[in-house]
Amino acid sequence: MRNKLILLSSTIIIFLMSGCGFKVVNQSELIDFYIENISTSGDSRISYIVKNNLLPYSKGDGKKLIALELDLKKNKFIKEKNIKNEITKFEVSINAIVKYRLNETKSFEISKKGSYNVASQYLQTLNNEKKLIRMLSEGIAEKIIEELIIRTNDT
C-alpha cells in the first residue's frame, strides 16, 4: 500500500513539474542586432580576447546596427601574504566601460574579479594569471552581449 502511494505521488509530481510551461530561452533567438563596428582601448590582451568573442555577433542579419566602443582596464592587487611576508595570491579586476550607439549613444559598465595563486615557478604564476585573464575577459564579453540584448529589446 505504501509503495503504491509513493509511486502515485511521485507520478503526480513529475506531471506537475513537466507541465508547468517552463521553456529554456535560446539567446540566439533574442539577438536582434548586428555589431557594425568594435573599437577598443585599454589593455591590449584583454581587448583582443573580448573583441574576438564579440565578432561572431557582427556577422548576422539583425535589424538594429550597433557601434561599440570598449574601454578595458585591468587592475592587479595583492590578495594574500604568508607569515614570511611573501605574496601567495593576487586578485585581478577587469573593468569595462561600454559605449554603444543605436539611435543615440548610451553606456554601461561591467566589472569582473578573480584571484590566482602564486606558484613556485614564475612561469607557472604567469600562466595562472593568463588563464584567469582569459576567463574573466570571456565573461566580460558574455555580459556585454547579455546587456546589449536587454537594452536593445527594450527599445
Side-chain angles (χ1 to χ4, degrees):
M1 179 70 182
R2 183 178 166 123
N3 288 337
K4 288 182 182 181
L5 184 62
I6 291 173
L7 180 65
L8 181 63
S9 62
S10 62
T11 306
I12 291 173
I13 289 173
I14 289 173
F15 280 124
L16 289 176
M17 294 298 284
S18 64
C20 69
F22 177 76
K23 181 181 176 187
V24 177
V25 176
N26 187 359
Q27 269 196 340
S28 63
E29 294 173 2
L30 294 175
I31 297 175
D32 190 15
F33 56 85
Y34 167 79
I35 298 176
E36 138 185 71
N37 184 20
I38 303 171
S39 63
T40 59
S41 62
D43 190 280
S44 59
R45 183 186 316 157
I46 297 169
S47 298
Y48 179 78
I49 295 169
V50 170
K51 190 173 182 178
N52 281 342
N53 283 318
L54 293 176
L55 280 177
Y57 301 98
S58 66
K59 300 175 183 131
D61 54 349
K63 299 172 189 154
K64 303 170 186 171
L65 290 175
I66 292 180
L68 289 178
E69 259 183 67
L70 306 173
D71 184 22
L72 299 154
K73 291 188 169 72
K74 175 184 84 165
N75 295 317
K76 185 174 164 182
F77 305 104
I78 297 171
K79 186 173 182 179
E80 284 182 12
K81 288 185 178 184
N82 63 11
I83 200 160
K84 297 178 187 176
N85 208 22
E86 296 170 337
I87 300 169
T88 57
K89 271 190 184 178
F90 281 104
E91 182 175 71
V92 175
S93 164
I94 298 177
N95 299 319
I97 299 172
V98 181
K99 293 181 183 174
Y100 66 98
R101 190 182 75 240
L102 189 58
N103 296 328
E104 57 190 59
T105 303
K106 297 180 182 178
S107 66
F108 57 91
E109 269 188 65
I110 295 175
S111 181
K112 286 250 183 208
K113 285 184 185 179
S115 62
Y116 66 94
N117 293 324
V118 175
S120 59
Q121 296 178 341
Y122 182 67
L123 183 62
Q124 186 62 40
T125 303
L126 287 179
N127 286 338
N128 291 346
E129 181 181 8
K130 286 179 185 179
K131 285 179 189 176
L132 178 65
I133 288 173
R134 173 168 291 283
M135 185 181 72
L136 293 176
S137 300
E138 290 171 354
I140 291 276
E142 289 174 15
K143 288 285 189 185
I144 289 172
I145 292 299
E146 289 172 7
E147 192 70 28
L148 286 174
I149 288 172
I150 291 169
R151 291 173 182 255
T152 57
N153 287 342
D154 286 345
T155 58

